[in-house]
Amino acid sequence: MLENCILLSLFAKENLHRMSEEQLNRYDRLINEPSNDWDIYYWATEAKPPPAEFDTDVMALLREFARNEKKEQRLRQPDLEYLFEPPR
């Protein structure tokens, strides 16, 4: 689903490099276990509450990111070159 691809890839670019191993494991579980991508989108955009097992600090970070309080333009996924750049 395009909306999740954009949301999750930009979130990953901005946050994964500063997450602990436990947070990375929770993020991995979040993006791989739910069988419906729309569930992740609804949880991230606060349209629906997540189930307890996904209501974590990582979900809180994702929700904050999804609010986009800085009103950044987020029209496409980031280029993958950032994977080879030093973290900000």
Side-chain angles (χ1 to χ4, degrees), residues 43-59:
W43 303 336
T45 60
E46 301 180 71
K48 293 183 180 179
E53 69 261 28
F54 295 112
D55 197 6
T56 67
D57 58 336
V58 173
M59 180 58 70

Side-chain angles (χ1 to χ4, degrees), residues 7-59:
L7 178 65
L8 294 172
S9 64
L10 290 170
F11 174 79
K13 178 181 179 182
E14 188 164 312
N15 291 282
L16 293 188
H17 68 275
R18 60 177 159 235
M19 285 185 176
S20 69
E21 184 175 348
E22 293 83 15
Q23 288 175 311
L24 291 171
N25 288 332
R26 286 191 290 276
Y27 181 73
D28 183 67
R29 187 168 173 236
L30 172 66
I31 64 173
N32 286 302
E33 283 189 21
S35 60
N36 185 343
D37 280 348
W38 281 107
D39 287 338
I40 298 170
Y41 182 78
Y42 291 141
W43 303 336
T45 60
E46 301 180 71
K48 293 183 180 179
E53 69 261 28
F54 295 112
D55 197 6
T56 67
D57 58 336
V58 173
M59 180 58 70

